Amino acid sequence: MDEAVAVLGRVSKSYRMDAVEVPVLREVDLLVRPGVFTVLLGPSGSGKTTLLNLIGGIDRADQGEVVVAGQPYAQLSDDALTDFRARHIGFVFQSFNLIPVLTARENIEYPLVLAGMPEERRRRRVVKLLRAVGLEERGDNRPGQLSGGQRQRVAIARALAARPKLVIADEPTANLDSATGTAILNLMRHMQMRHRISFLFSSHDRSLIDIADDLVVLRDGMIQSIRRRPLEELARAQSVESEAPDDESE
């Protein structure tokens, strides 16, 4: 298997509330394997979001080392970290975080504009992504004209637009009904396998245990257990998925 997409070594993080320092993560060690669907499972307050923020470069650790795509974050200035995040990490948020004045097409295209991709390539890429998430006919609709499930599909397409090394999803189905949430989860799993991108997905829903390639259980800011699917099983699943035609290739 290729180099780990993310490695955390003895990472700790605390936040200050008035005069009290509240520890959130305590000396966490974690390796996120490339091209797998990793589920971070734990109750509210276990530190899941904080861990995702550190891996995503949104926040910085108080202690320990965070390395993503071979890059130690401690070596990067804030501006360099922002640029790195834009090029290598996609995000899917619980609240969608779409730009309300832009259409679905423009929301997906936005990270490609920031990356400096030529216009014609951007348009081709967006068309393919809209098709992949089943929204070919909704490209000109703004977020307010879309259902919650459709908005999350746009967010998934946006996260994949720049072909990131890692997609981070912080409880992306929490605001959706169960049927829509299941459909979104299946779509994310399909896209992860199709593009062989690492997905790191946080949830407190134990029904996700069976679909995870790697399952990381977090409680009280510490990792309780890690269960990893054997490499042979991963290879078989990816082989079956790769037999289908790929509409996303450029």
Side-chain angles (χ1 to χ4, degrees), residues 123-249:
R123 289 182 176 177
R124 290 199 305 269
R125 178 80 176 137
V126 170
V127 167
K128 291 174 181 177
L129 285 166
L130 281 168
R131 182 184 309 131
V133 299
L135 292 178
E136 288 178 273
E137 307 302 321
R138 293 288 194 167
D140 294 325
N141 290 118
R142 290 188 172 87
Q145 299 169 312
L146 301 174
S147 69
Q150 289 170 335
R151 279 178 276 176
Q152 200 60 292
R153 287 172 181 267
V154 174
I156 293 168
R158 180 185 59 187
L160 293 168
R163 300 185 185 275
K165 299 285 187 182
L166 173 67
V167 172
I168 291 175
D170 190 6
E171 304 209 33
T173 61
N175 288 341
L176 305 175
D177 63 77
S178 59
T180 302
T182 297
I184 289 297
L185 184 62
N186 290 338
L187 173 64
M188 292 176 66
R189 187 65 163 122
H190 169 74
M191 299 293 277
Q192 176 267 319
M193 295 181 70
R194 164 62 61 207
H195 297 279
R196 299 191 181 183
I197 293 172
S198 294
F199 266 62
L200 182 56
F201 184 114
S202 77
S203 181
H204 58 267
D205 184 355
R206 299 190 66 84
S207 68
L208 298 179
I209 290 175
D210 291 338
I211 71 159
D213 293 326
D214 290 356
L215 178 70
V216 180
V217 179
L218 192 69
R219 182 177 289 275
D220 298 328
M222 296 180 288
I223 291 178
Q224 284 196 325
S225 64
I226 300 177
R227 186 211 68 193
R228 298 192 187 276
R229 182 165 294 177
L231 292 176
E232 296 78 10
E233 289 186 26
L234 290 175
R236 283 197 298 270
Q238 290 175 346
S239 176
V240 170
E241 184 68 23
S242 66
E243 293 176 1
D246 186 359
D247 285 340
E248 263 63 58
S249 60

Side-chain angles (χ1 to χ4, degrees), residues 71-85:
Q71 174 62 61
Y73 280 175
Q75 297 177 359
L76 299 177
S77 66
D78 288 347
D79 287 345
L81 182 56
T82 297
D83 180 64
F84 179 88
R85 186 169 62 235

Side-chain angles (χ1 to χ4, degrees), residues 25-191:
L25 295 175
R26 310 165 191 260
E27 297 192 345
V28 169
D29 293 311
L30 178 63
L31 182 150
V32 180
R33 296 194 291 175
V36 304
F37 195 86
T38 299
V39 172
L40 184 61
L41 188 70
S44 297
S46 60
K48 300 188 303 297
T49 296
T50 298
L51 184 55
L52 293 185
N53 287 344
L54 296 182
I55 295 173
I58 295 173
D59 204 351
R60 291 187 184 264
D62 295 335
Q63 297 177 4
E65 184 176 48
V66 179
V67 180
V68 175
Q71 174 62 61
Y73 280 175
Q75 297 177 359
L76 299 177
S77 66
D78 288 347
D79 287 345
L81 182 56
T82 297
D83 180 64
F84 179 88
R85 186 169 62 235
R87 289 184 288 112
H88 295 290
I89 304 175
F91 293 91
V92 181
F93 298 96
Q94 179 178 329
S95 56
F96 318 127
N97 283 24
L98 300 177
I99 300 173
V101 297
L102 299 183
T103 65
R105 189 186 316 278
E106 290 165 341
N107 267 282
I108 297 169
E109 185 180 22
Y110 188 63
L112 302 178
V113 174
L114 296 180
M117 181 181 286
E119 183 178 1
E120 186 55 36
R121 282 189 61 203
R122 292 199 313 262
R123 289 182 176 177
R124 290 199 305 269
R125 178 80 176 137
V126 170
V127 167
K128 291 174 181 177
L129 285 166
L130 281 168
R131 182 184 309 131
V133 299
L135 292 178
E136 288 178 273
E137 307 302 321
R138 293 288 194 167
D140 294 325
N141 290 118
R142 290 188 172 87
Q145 299 169 312
L146 301 174
S147 69
Q150 289 170 335
R151 279 178 276 176
Q152 200 60 292
R153 287 172 181 267
V154 174
I156 293 168
R158 180 185 59 187
L160 293 168
R163 300 185 185 275
K165 299 285 187 182
L166 173 67
V167 172
I168 291 175
D170 190 6
E171 304 209 33
T173 61
N175 288 341
L176 305 175
D177 63 77
S178 59
T180 302
T182 297
I184 289 297
L185 184 62
N186 290 338
L187 173 64
M188 292 176 66
R189 187 65 163 122
H190 169 74
M191 299 293 277

